[in-house]
Amino acid sequence: MRTMLFIGIIFGIIGLISAMSVNKDRIELSKQSANEQLAPSMKIDEVMNHLNELQKIAMATTGKNRAVGTIGFNNTLDYIENSLTANTNFKVLRRYFKRGTFSLQRNPTLISTINGVAKTHTYSTSGEFYHVQYSTSVTLNENVLLTAIPNLGCSDEDWLAARPPPAGLVVLVKRGDCTFVEKARLAEKYKVAALLFYNNGQAGDGSQPIYVNIGTGSNIPALFLSNTLGTTLVNAANDPSRMATVRLTIATAPLVPIGNICAATLTGDPTQTILIGSHTDSVPAGPGINDNGSGTAVNLALAATLYRLMQTSTYDAYKYRVQFCFWGGEELGLLGSAFHAAEAKTSTVVGERISDYLININLDMVGSPNFIFGIYDGRTAPSNTPAAARPGSLKISTLFQTLFNQNKLPWDHSAFDGRSDYGPFLAAGVVAGGLFTGADALKTVEQRNRYNSMLGSNLGGTSGIRQDRCYHLACDTTTNINQFALDIMMQAAAYSVESMGQQSDLKSWLYPAREIQEFNKQTQQTKYEYNNINEYFGMPYN
C-alpha cells in the first residue's frame, strides 16, 4: 500500500462547553509541510456563528425544530444556500424530491368476508394486520375479490399463474425469498387493487404482523397480515366452493418535497470529485444543533475557507472538483443522500454520474458533549459492499488515524452501521469515510481514562452516560456543543480534504486495481438491492 504524505495540522484547544475546563491558548502541533493551509485557516467562531443562526431558525419554528416538513427545515435550506452564495463563487444547486415523512392520517381498516360471513380484523403488530411503510392511500368500501399469488410472488411466472388473475383484485403474497420492495413492484406491474403480505409462520418473527417498507417510490396500497389471518384468507381464496373478499381503507398523509443542496468548485476535474456531505434536518423533538447542525456548520465553513484560499496566489489549485452537499431527510431514512446516489447511478451528465465521485466524506454529529473522536472504520463496511469501495475506505480510515496518532490525540473506531449518509454511496461502490463524536452509546471507563491520559485531566468526559445526552431531544441546542471536540473535528475534516486535493493521482490511490481484485474474491454477492430505509431503521428486507 502506498503511503500518503501526511501534512501537519494545527489543532486548537479552546474554551470548552459542558462543564469542562481547558487551556484557552491554542496549542501548535508540528507542521510537516508548508503546503498545509486549509486546516489552520478554519475558524471555530465561524462554525459557531452558523450554529447560532441554525438555532435561531429552530426557535422561531413551531415545535422549535428543523425537521422535514417544517418552516424550520425550509429556512435552514435558505440559510445554507444564501451562505454559500455570499461566501463562495461555487455552483450552487438546490434540488427537490418528493419522499417525505410517511405517516397515517388514521388507523387502517380491514374487513374480510368468506361465504357471506364478515369479520373485522384488529390492527396492531400483536393483532391481525399492520400498516406498511410507503403504502399509498386506498378506500375499498365495496367487497373486492381476493386472489393468492402462488409460491412467494417473486417472479412473473408466479403472478401469471394466479387464478383469478390479479388485475383489479386484492392479492395475498407470502413473506419470503425476494424483498418486499420487489413484491410490491410486481404488484404494481400487474395492476392490483391492493397488496396483502402475510407472514410465513417460521420461528422467530414469522407469526405476527411486522412493520416493513416497500420503497419510497411505491404506488401500491399495502398491509401486512399475521400468518394465521393470511393462511385463512389464502385457503378461502383457493377454494372454488368459497367466496372470499375484503374491504379495506388506508389513509396516508401526503408526502412533502425535500431539498438537497450541493455546491461545487468551478475548478478541478468534474469526473474526479471529492464529495463532503452532511445532513440538514433535525428530528421533530428538538433543534438538532449537534445532530446535525454541527456537520452542516463545518461543511459551510469548509466551503467558505477553501474558496478564500483559492483566491490567493499562494494556494495550489486542486486537480479535483470539490463538492459540498447538504442532504435533506436523513432522519427519515437517509432520503436525500439515497436520492442523490440513485440519480447519479442513472445519470449520463458529466460530473453528475456515480462514477464521477471519488470519495464521500461524511460529517454527522461532530460536537458531542461527552465526545469520542470517532473515525469511520473501513473494515466494518458491509460484506456485500462493492469491492471497488473497500480499499479506499480502509485508506481514508488510516489517513485519519495516522493524523490523530501523530498529534497524540485519542480516537475510536466508528462502525459503518448504516445509520448515516455514507450508506448509499458505499452501496454504489464509492469510497467513504468520515468523522463522528458519538450519539446514544455510553462512554466507557476505558475511553474516559484513555482520553484523560492523552488530553489532560477532566477532558475525558464521564463514563456510563451517553456520548450525546441530548441526542434527539429538545436540549440539543448550542449549549450541547463541545467546542473543543468540534474544533478538532473541524480541522481534521479540513486536513482530509486538503490532503486528498493535493494528491497527484487520487483515483489510483483510492481505487488500486490489484487490491480491488483481491476484495472481489472476498465480497459476498448482493442478494438484495440496497435499501436505505431498511438499513437506517433496521427493517427486514424480506
Side-chain angles (χ1 to χ4, degrees):
M1 179 186 297
R2 185 159 65 100
T3 301
M4 190 173 187
L5 173 65
F6 287 95
I7 303 168
I9 186 170
I10 300 175
F11 281 151
I13 293 184
I14 64 173
L16 185 62
I17 292 179
S18 304
M20 291 184 178
S21 60
V22 296
N23 187 344
K24 293 184 179 180
D25 296 327
R26 296 180 68 90
I27 295 177
E28 292 192 4
L29 303 178
S30 60
K31 196 172 181 181
Q32 297 182 1
S33 171
N35 293 331
E36 183 200 348
Q37 297 185 57
L38 184 57
S41 299
M42 296 287 292
K43 305 298 182 187
I44 190 65
D45 287 348
E46 184 174 353
V47 175
M48 289 305 301
N49 286 340
H50 288 310
L51 291 180
N52 288 328
E53 292 302 316
L54 293 176
Q55 181 159 300
K56 288 178 186 176
I57 289 170
M59 294 305 167
T61 302
T62 301
K64 293 182 170 49
N65 63 52
R66 299 180 301 104
V68 165
T70 68
I71 191 66
F73 177 73
N74 295 333
N75 287 345
T76 295
L77 295 186
D78 290 343
Y79 176 78
I80 291 168
E81 184 171 355
N82 292 339
S83 178
L84 291 166
T85 302
N87 295 302
T88 77
N89 71 345
F90 298 165
K91 181 180 178 181
V92 181
L93 178 65
R94 188 193 303 202
R95 186 169 183 188
Y96 284 92
F97 58 97
K98 259 200 173 177
R99 292 295 186 268
T101 305
F102 174 83
S103 62
L104 295 172
Q105 293 182 322
R106 55 186 173 274
N107 288 348
T109 64
L110 176 64
I111 303 170
S112 67
T113 302
I114 300 175
N115 283 354
V117 179
K119 182 179 179 182
T120 300
H121 299 287
T122 57
Y123 165 72
S124 79
T125 52
S126 60
E128 294 177 286
F129 76 99
Y130 201 63
H131 68 270
V132 170
Q133 189 170 20
Y134 290 111
S135 165
T136 57
S137 296
V138 72
T139 301
L140 301 178
N141 288 326
E142 302 295 328
N143 286 329
V144 179
L145 196 64
L146 284 168
T147 188
I149 306 300
N151 303 316
L152 294 169
C154 291
S155 67
D156 286 299
E157 289 76 15
D158 291 346
W159 288 75
L160 291 169
R163 292 294 178 269
L169 305 186
V170 175
V171 300
L172 292 150
V173 179
K174 190 175 185 178
R175 176 188 185 186
D177 196 17
C178 62
T179 67
F180 298 114
V181 171
E182 292 169 307
K183 294 175 194 279
R185 287 174 183 163
L186 285 164
E188 187 172 350
K189 177 179 179 180
Y190 288 97
K191 303 182 186 308
V192 307
L195 169 61
L196 301 180
F197 298 112
Y198 67 99
N199 220 332
N200 53 24
Q202 295 179 2
D205 64 352
S207 297
Q208 302 297 330
I210 59 172
Y211 189 35
V212 303
N213 151 58
I214 55 174
T216 53
S218 170
N219 291 302
I220 287 290
L223 296 171
F224 200 106
L225 314 186
S226 69
N227 175 256
T228 299
L229 176 57
T231 302
T232 298
L233 295 180
V234 167
N235 290 340
N238 286 337
D239 186 344
S241 69
R242 305 166 78 188
M243 174 68 71
T245 61
V246 293
R247 286 172 282 160
L248 62 91
T249 63
I250 306 170
T252 63
L255 299 182
V256 297
I258 301 176
N260 285 337
I261 296 174
C262 288
T265 57
L266 303 182
T267 58
D269 182 357
T271 70
Q272 299 188 79
T273 296
I274 299 167
L275 171 62
I276 303 96
S278 53
H279 77 85
T280 56
D281 56 315
S282 76
V283 294
I289 299 305
N290 187 37
D291 184 17
N292 183 40
S294 60
T296 297
V298 169
N299 213 358
L300 284 171
L302 266 173
T305 305
L306 180 61
Y307 169 73
R308 290 192 292 266
L309 285 172
M310 285 178 164
Q311 306 315 298
T312 67
S313 59
T314 58
Y315 197 69
D316 294 334
Y318 298 173
K319 287 177 56 176
Y320 317 104
R321 182 179 69 167
V322 183
Q323 184 162 282
F324 303 87
C325 286
F326 302 82
W327 312 122
E330 189 265 3
E331 300 290 2
L332 306 179
L334 318 180
L335 298 186
S337 55
F339 173 79
H340 188 93
E343 291 288 295
K345 285 166 70 175
T346 60
S347 177
T348 58
V349 178
V350 173
E352 296 182 11
R353 304 165 300 184
I354 200 70
S355 59
D356 296 328
Y357 292 119
L358 295 182
I359 186 169
N360 169 39
I361 296 295
N362 189 63
L363 302 175
D364 187 359
M365 301 183 67
V366 288
S368 303
N370 198 30
F371 65 90
I372 60 167
F373 293 139
I375 297 169
Y376 285 122
D377 184 0
R379 300 172 304 174
T380 63
S383 58
N384 58 4
T385 298
R390 296 177 73 88
S393 297
L394 289 170
K395 289 184 175 185
I396 197 66
S397 298
T398 301
L399 183 150
F400 281 120
Q401 291 163 14
T402 304
L403 170 67
F404 278 72
N405 288 339
Q406 286 181 338
N407 290 292
K408 296 181 173 55
L409 291 168
W411 57 270
D412 283 276
H413 293 294
S414 286
F416 281 128
D417 59 6
R419 291 175 62 188
S420 196
D421 289 303
Y422 51 75
F425 292 95
L426 264 183
V430 177
V431 168
L435 300 168
F436 173 63
T437 52
D440 49 356
L442 303 183
K443 177 167 270 190
T444 67
V445 172
E446 185 279 329
Q447 287 173 326
R448 180 203 63 195
N449 292 343
R450 176 161 46 89
Y451 279 60
N452 271 338
S453 174
M454 298 186 72
L455 296 175
S457 179
N458 299 322
L459 290 181
T462 306
S463 62
I465 67 170
R466 298 200 302 180
Q467 291 154 3
D468 184 352
R469 65 179 181 272
C470 291
Y471 176 61
H472 286 184
L473 296 175
C475 57
D476 188 9
T477 64
T478 52
T479 59
N480 190 46
I481 292 292
N482 186 307
Q483 289 190 42
F484 169 61
L486 182 64
D487 186 26
I488 287 182
M489 293 308 228
M490 170 192 79
Q491 294 185 69
Y495 165 80
S496 72
V497 172
E498 189 171 64
S499 296
M500 290 185 291
Q502 293 176 346
Q503 275 283 311
S504 60
D505 188 355
L506 182 60
K507 187 171 186 176
S508 294
W509 187 73
L510 290 173
Y511 297 90
R514 183 175 297 179
E515 293 176 43
I516 290 172
Q517 288 174 0
E518 289 301 312
F519 274 107
N520 258 323
K521 299 174 185 177
Q522 307 167 23
T523 302
Q524 294 181 8
Q525 288 284 53
T526 302
K527 185 176 181 181
Y528 307 127
E529 180 184 352
Y530 170 84
N531 185 285
N532 50 291
I533 303 292
N534 290 344
E535 293 294 330
Y536 184 81
F537 292 109
M539 298 172 74
Y541 273 79
N542 72 342

